[in-house]
PDB file of all heavy atoms in Angstrom:
ATOM      1  N   LYS A  40     226.563 103.130  57.002  1.00 98.00           N
ATOM      2  CA  LYS A  40     226.410 104.038  58.223  1.00 98.00           C
ATOM      3  C   LYS A  40     225.373 103.416  59.241  1.00 98.00           C
ATOM      4  O   LYS A  40     225.647 103.389  60.395  1.00 98.00           O
ATOM      5  CB  LYS A  40     226.059 105.426  57.819  1.00 98.00           C
ATOM      6  CG  LYS A  40     225.848 106.398  58.993  1.00 98.00           C
ATOM      7  CD  LYS A  40     225.620 107.811  58.659  1.00 98.00           C
ATOM      8  CE  LYS A  40     225.195 108.648  59.868  1.00 98.00           C
ATOM      9  NZ  LYS A  40     226.204 108.580  60.963  1.00 98.00           N
ATOM     10  N   TYR A  41     224.284 102.980  58.525  1.00 97.00           N
ATOM     11  CA  TYR A  41     223.227 102.330  59.553  1.00 97.00           C
ATOM     12  C   TYR A  41     223.306 100.784  59.479  1.00 97.00           C
ATOM     13  O   TYR A  41     222.322 100.245  60.058  1.00 97.00           O
ATOM     14  CB  TYR A  41     221.889 102.839  58.964  1.00 97.00           C
ATOM     15  CG  TYR A  41     221.734 104.297  58.984  1.00 97.00           C
ATOM     16  CD1 TYR A  41     221.711 105.137  57.805  1.00 97.00           C
ATOM     17  CD2 TYR A  41     221.751 105.013  60.139  1.00 97.00           C
ATOM     18  CE1 TYR A  41     221.580 106.432  57.835  1.00 97.00           C
ATOM     19  CE2 TYR A  41     221.604 106.459  60.216  1.00 97.00           C
ATOM     20  CZ  TYR A  41     221.593 107.197  59.098  1.00 97.00           C
ATOM     21  OH  TYR A  41     221.457 108.505  59.037  1.00 97.00           O
ATOM     22  N   GLU A 168     209.665 109.802  54.850  1.00 98.00           N
ATOM     23  CA  GLU A 168     209.980 109.641  56.286  1.00 98.00           C
ATOM     24  C   GLU A 168     209.619 110.879  57.127  1.00 98.00           C
ATOM     25  O   GLU A 168     209.207 110.818  58.287  1.00 98.00           O
ATOM     26  CB  GLU A 168     211.402 109.305  56.443  1.00 98.00           C
ATOM     27  CG  GLU A 168     211.904 107.934  55.956  1.00 98.00           C
ATOM     28  CD  GLU A 168     211.186 106.860  56.710  1.00 98.00           C
ATOM     29  OE1 GLU A 168     211.310 106.719  57.914  1.00 98.00           O
ATOM     30  OE2 GLU A 168     210.304 106.093  56.121  1.00 98.00           O
ATOM     31  N   LEU A 172     207.246 111.433  60.089  1.00 98.00           N
ATOM     32  CA  LEU A 172     207.757 111.933  61.356  1.00 98.00           C
ATOM     33  C   LEU A 172     206.877 113.172  61.949  1.00 98.00           C
ATOM     34  O   LEU A 172     206.712 113.327  63.082  1.00 98.00           O
ATOM     35  CB  LEU A 172     209.265 112.459  61.154  1.00 98.00           C
ATOM     36  CG  LEU A 172     209.939 113.108  62.239  1.00 98.00           C
ATOM     37  CD1 LEU A 172     210.048 112.231  63.460  1.00 98.00           C
ATOM     38  CD2 LEU A 172     211.350 113.585  61.790  1.00 98.00           C
ATOM     39  N   GLN A 187     210.428 104.325  64.339  1.00 95.00           N
ATOM     40  CA  GLN A 187     210.771 104.906  63.096  1.00 95.00           C
ATOM     41  C   GLN A 187     212.225 105.041  62.914  1.00 95.00           C
ATOM     42  O   GLN A 187     212.790 105.856  63.615  1.00 95.00           O
ATOM     43  CB  GLN A 187     210.101 106.270  62.835  1.00 95.00           C
ATOM     44  CG  GLN A 187     210.342 106.861  61.441  1.00 95.00           C
ATOM     45  CD  GLN A 187     209.657 108.238  61.191  1.00 95.00           C
ATOM     46  OE1 GLN A 187     208.976 108.804  62.060  1.00 95.00           O
ATOM     47  NE2 GLN A 187     209.953 108.761  60.017  1.00 95.00           N
ATOM     48  N   ALA A 188     212.820 104.197  62.071  1.00 96.00           N
ATOM     49  CA  ALA A 188     214.276 104.186  61.947  1.00 96.00           C
ATOM     50  C   ALA A 188     214.752 103.686  60.592  1.00 96.00           C
ATOM     51  O   ALA A 188     213.924 103.094  59.872  1.00 96.00           O
ATOM     52  CB  ALA A 188     214.828 103.271  62.946  1.00 96.00           C
ATOM     53  N   PRO A 189     215.972 103.958  60.140  1.00 98.00           N
ATOM     54  CA  PRO A 189     216.425 103.404  58.898  1.00 98.00           C
ATOM     55  C   PRO A 189     216.454 101.962  58.851  1.00 98.00           C
ATOM     56  O   PRO A 189     216.430 101.328  57.846  1.00 98.00           O
ATOM     57  CB  PRO A 189     217.890 104.058  58.724  1.00 98.00           C
ATOM     58  CG  PRO A 189     217.881 105.206  59.604  1.00 98.00           C
ATOM     59  CD  PRO A 189     216.956 104.907  60.769  1.00 98.00           C
ATOM     60  N   CYS A 206     216.314 106.548  52.885  1.00 98.00           N
ATOM     61  CA  CYS A 206     215.714 107.402  53.929  1.00 98.00           C
ATOM     62  C   CYS A 206     216.266 108.876  53.925  1.00 98.00           C
ATOM     63  O   CYS A 206     215.681 109.719  54.457  1.00 98.00           O
ATOM     64  CB  CYS A 206     215.745 106.829  55.275  1.00 98.00           C
ATOM     65  SG  CYS A 206     217.403 106.560  55.925  1.00 98.00           S
ATOM     66  N   ARG A 207     217.489 109.040  53.339  1.00 98.00           N
ATOM     67  CA  ARG A 207     218.096 110.345  53.295  1.00 98.00           C
ATOM     68  C   ARG A 207     218.166 110.905  51.997  1.00 98.00           C
ATOM     69  O   ARG A 207     218.723 111.970  51.680  1.00 98.00           O
ATOM     70  CB  ARG A 207     219.512 110.254  53.926  1.00 98.00           C
ATOM     71  CG  ARG A 207     219.454 110.022  55.439  1.00 98.00           C
ATOM     72  CD  ARG A 207     220.887 109.753  56.062  1.00 98.00           C
ATOM     73  NE  ARG A 207     221.748 110.974  55.840  1.00 98.00           N
ATOM     74  CZ  ARG A 207     222.929 111.119  56.444  1.00 98.00           C
ATOM     75  NH1 ARG A 207     223.166 110.311  57.428  1.00 98.00           N
ATOM     76  NH2 ARG A 207     223.633 112.131  56.162  1.00 98.00           N
ATOM     77  N   GLN A 257     217.392 118.227  57.853  1.00 98.00           N
ATOM     78  CA  GLN A 257     217.786 118.538  59.184  1.00 98.00           C
ATOM     79  C   GLN A 257     216.746 117.944  60.161  1.00 98.00           C
ATOM     80  O   GLN A 257     217.188 117.513  61.140  1.00 98.00           O
ATOM     81  CB  GLN A 257     217.741 120.111  59.196  1.00 98.00           C
ATOM     82  CG  GLN A 257     218.108 120.697  60.571  1.00 98.00           C
ATOM     83  CD  GLN A 257     219.462 120.469  60.921  1.00 98.00           C
ATOM     84  OE1 GLN A 257     220.424 120.272  60.147  1.00 98.00           O
ATOM     85  NE2 GLN A 257     219.851 120.410  62.257  1.00 98.00           N
ATOM     86  N   PHE A 258     215.464 118.145  59.811  1.00 98.00           N
ATOM     87  CA  PHE A 258     214.424 117.502  60.783  1.00 98.00           C
ATOM     88  C   PHE A 258     214.685 116.136  61.013  1.00 98.00           C
ATOM     89  O   PHE A 258     214.712 115.659  62.145  1.00 98.00           O
ATOM     90  CB  PHE A 258     213.049 117.878  60.144  1.00 98.00           C
ATOM     91  CG  PHE A 258     211.890 117.466  60.964  1.00 98.00           C
ATOM     92  CD1 PHE A 258     211.920 117.494  62.324  1.00 98.00           C
ATOM     93  CD2 PHE A 258     210.680 117.120  60.315  1.00 98.00           C
ATOM     94  CE1 PHE A 258     210.663 117.194  63.019  1.00 98.00           C
ATOM     95  CE2 PHE A 258     209.512 116.769  60.977  1.00 98.00           C
ATOM     96  CZ  PHE A 258     209.560 116.804  62.431  1.00 98.00           C
ATOM     97  N   TYR A 259     214.963 115.374  59.891  1.00 98.00           N
ATOM     98  CA  TYR A 259     215.130 113.955  59.983  1.00 98.00           C
ATOM     99  C   TYR A 259     216.385 113.484  60.827  1.00 98.00           C
ATOM    100  O   TYR A 259     216.335 112.782  61.686  1.00 98.00           O
ATOM    101  CB  TYR A 259     215.100 113.375  58.606  1.00 98.00           C
ATOM    102  CG  TYR A 259     215.082 111.818  58.675  1.00 98.00           C
ATOM    103  CD1 TYR A 259     214.075 111.104  59.168  1.00 98.00           C
ATOM    104  CD2 TYR A 259     216.139 111.093  58.108  1.00 98.00           C
ATOM    105  CE1 TYR A 259     214.042 109.720  59.187  1.00 98.00           C
ATOM    106  CE2 TYR A 259     216.190 109.722  58.117  1.00 98.00           C
ATOM    107  CZ  TYR A 259     215.136 108.989  58.686  1.00 98.00           C
ATOM    108  OH  TYR A 259     215.098 107.618  58.749  1.00 98.00           O
ATOM    109  N   LEU A 260     217.462 114.197  60.379  1.00 98.00           N
ATOM    110  CA  LEU A 260     218.706 113.840  61.081  1.00 98.00           C
ATOM    111  C   LEU A 260     218.821 114.244  62.539  1.00 98.00           C
ATOM    112  O   LEU A 260     219.325 113.488  63.375  1.00 98.00           O
ATOM    113  CB  LEU A 260     219.892 114.530  60.308  1.00 98.00           C
ATOM    114  CG  LEU A 260     220.154 113.952  58.950  1.00 98.00           C
ATOM    115  CD1 LEU A 260     221.447 114.782  58.298  1.00 98.00           C
ATOM    116  CD2 LEU A 260     220.366 112.427  58.756  1.00 98.00           C
ATOM    117  N   SER A 261     218.185 115.309  62.947  1.00 97.00           N
ATOM    118  CA  SER A 261     218.090 115.724  64.221  1.00 97.00           C
ATOM    119  C   SER A 261     217.226 114.801  65.083  1.00 97.00           C
ATOM    120  O   SER A 261     217.598 114.488  66.254  1.00 97.00           O
ATOM    121  CB  SER A 261     217.436 117.121  64.505  1.00 97.00           C
ATOM    122  OG  SER A 261     218.007 117.992  63.603  1.00 97.00           O
ATOM    123  N   PHE A 262     216.247 114.261  64.439  1.00 97.00           N
ATOM    124  CA  PHE A 262     215.437 113.214  65.158  1.00 97.00           C
ATOM    125  C   PHE A 262     216.184 112.111  65.353  1.00 97.00           C
ATOM    126  O   PHE A 262     216.217 111.527  66.499  1.00 97.00           O
ATOM    127  CB  PHE A 262     214.173 112.982  64.221  1.00 97.00           C
ATOM    128  CG  PHE A 262     213.490 111.734  64.494  1.00 97.00           C
ATOM    129  CD1 PHE A 262     212.744 111.507  65.660  1.00 97.00           C
ATOM    130  CD2 PHE A 262     213.482 110.602  63.527  1.00 97.00           C
ATOM    131  CE1 PHE A 262     212.166 110.234  65.907  1.00 97.00           C
ATOM    132  CE2 PHE A 262     212.875 109.381  63.840  1.00 97.00           C
ATOM    133  CZ  PHE A 262     212.245 109.247  65.116  1.00 97.00           C
ATOM    134  N   LEU A 263     216.920 111.614  64.327  1.00 97.00           N
ATOM    135  CA  LEU A 263     217.740 110.345  64.579  1.00 97.00           C
ATOM    136  C   LEU A 263     218.808 110.485  65.689  1.00 97.00           C
ATOM    137  O   LEU A 263     218.998 109.665  66.501  1.00 97.00           O
ATOM    138  CB  LEU A 263     218.381 109.945  63.316  1.00 97.00           C
ATOM    139  CG  LEU A 263     217.537 109.387  62.071  1.00 97.00           C
ATOM    140  CD1 LEU A 263     218.462 108.893  60.949  1.00 97.00           C
ATOM    141  CD2 LEU A 263     216.577 108.350  62.517  1.00 97.00           C
ATOM    142  N   GLN A 264     219.273 111.803  65.704  1.00 96.00           N
ATOM    143  CA  GLN A 264     220.249 112.089  66.764  1.00 96.00           C
ATOM    144  C   GLN A 264     219.693 112.147  68.112  1.00 96.00           C
ATOM    145  O   GLN A 264     220.215 111.499  69.018  1.00 96.00           O
ATOM    146  CB  GLN A 264     221.013 113.339  66.356  1.00 96.00           C
ATOM    147  CG  GLN A 264     222.214 113.610  67.078  1.00 96.00           C
ATOM    148  CD  GLN A 264     222.866 114.976  66.797  1.00 96.00           C
ATOM    149  OE1 GLN A 264     222.070 115.927  66.319  1.00 96.00           O
ATOM    150  NE2 GLN A 264     224.132 115.110  66.926  1.00 96.00           N
ATOM    151  N   ALA A 265     218.548 112.729  68.145  1.00 94.00           N
ATOM    152  CA  ALA A 265     217.834 112.857  69.466  1.00 94.00           C
ATOM    153  C   ALA A 265     217.501 111.435  69.944  1.00 94.00           C
ATOM    154  O   ALA A 265     217.610 111.130  71.276  1.00 94.00           O
ATOM    155  CB  ALA A 265     216.603 113.648  69.331  1.00 94.00           C
ATOM    156  N   LYS A 266     217.149 110.590  69.148  1.00 92.00           N
ATOM    157  CA  LYS A 266     216.785 109.258  69.449  1.00 92.00           C
ATOM    158  C   LYS A 266     218.022 108.437  69.947  1.00 92.00           C
ATOM    159  O   LYS A 266     217.981 107.681  71.008  1.00 92.00           O
ATOM    160  CB  LYS A 266     216.214 108.453  68.246  1.00 92.00           C
ATOM    161  CG  LYS A 266     215.098 107.590  68.678  1.00 92.00           C
ATOM    162  CD  LYS A 266     214.123 107.253  67.577  1.00 92.00           C
ATOM    163  CE  LYS A 266     214.875 106.615  66.385  1.00 92.00           C
ATOM    164  NZ  LYS A 266     213.979 105.525  65.933  1.00 92.00           N
ATOM    165  N   GLU A 267     219.167 108.732  69.304  1.00 91.00           N
ATOM    166  CA  GLU A 267     220.361 108.003  69.684  1.00 91.00           C
ATOM    167  C   GLU A 267     220.719 108.541  71.081  1.00 91.00           C
ATOM    168  O   GLU A 267     221.354 107.790  71.868  1.00 91.00           O
ATOM    169  CB  GLU A 267     221.470 108.466  68.672  1.00 91.00           C
ATOM    170  CG  GLU A 267     222.526 107.351  68.314  1.00 91.00           C
ATOM    171  CD  GLU A 267     223.332 107.742  67.160  1.00 91.00           C
ATOM    172  OE1 GLU A 267     224.302 108.532  67.373  1.00 91.00           O
ATOM    173  OE2 GLU A 267     222.898 107.377  66.025  1.00 91.00           O
ATOM    174  N   GLN A 268     220.412 109.842  71.445  1.00 92.00           N
ATOM    175  CA  GLN A 268     220.862 110.285  72.695  1.00 92.00           C
ATOM    176  C   GLN A 268     219.766 109.856  73.765  1.00 92.00           C
ATOM    177  O   GLN A 268     219.892 110.194  74.912  1.00 92.00           O
ATOM    178  CB  GLN A 268     220.960 111.815  72.730  1.00 92.00           C
ATOM    179  CG  GLN A 268     222.109 112.311  71.874  1.00 92.00           C
ATOM    180  CD  GLN A 268     222.045 113.655  71.484  1.00 92.00           C
ATOM    181  OE1 GLN A 268     221.043 114.452  71.667  1.00 92.00           O
ATOM    182  NE2 GLN A 268     223.100 114.255  70.943  1.00 92.00           N
ATOM    183  N   GLY A 269     218.874 108.941  73.396  1.00 87.00           N
ATOM    184  CA  GLY A 269     217.926 108.542  74.435  1.00 87.00           C
ATOM    185  C   GLY A 269     216.566 109.187  74.678  1.00 87.00           C
ATOM    186  O   GLY A 269     215.963 108.906  75.640  1.00 87.00           O
ATOM    187  N   PHE A 271     213.741 109.028  73.275  1.00 76.00           N
ATOM    188  CA  PHE A 271     212.410 108.211  73.241  1.00 76.00           C
ATOM    189  C   PHE A 271     212.698 106.862  73.941  1.00 76.00           C
ATOM    190  O   PHE A 271     211.745 106.036  73.872  1.00 76.00           O
ATOM    191  CB  PHE A 271     211.971 108.092  71.888  1.00 76.00           C
ATOM    192  CG  PHE A 271     211.770 109.330  71.160  1.00 76.00           C
ATOM    193  CD1 PHE A 271     212.608 109.794  70.268  1.00 76.00           C
ATOM    194  CD2 PHE A 271     210.676 110.092  71.487  1.00 76.00           C
ATOM    195  CE1 PHE A 271     212.353 111.021  69.539  1.00 76.00           C
ATOM    196  CE2 PHE A 271     210.422 111.279  70.889  1.00 76.00           C
ATOM    197  CZ  PHE A 271     211.264 111.726  69.843  1.00 76.00           C
TER     198      PHE A 271
END
Side-chain angles (χ1 to χ4, degrees):
K40 181 173 170 57
Y41 300 112
E168 289 303 296
L172 176 57
Q187 189 180 355
C206 64
R207 289 175 58 165
Q257 178 68 26
F258 185 29
Y259 187 62
L260 293 182
S261 312
F262 161 67
L263 293 185
Q264 198 183 21
K266 220 156 61 134
E267 218 166 84
Q268 290 165 352
F271 303 105

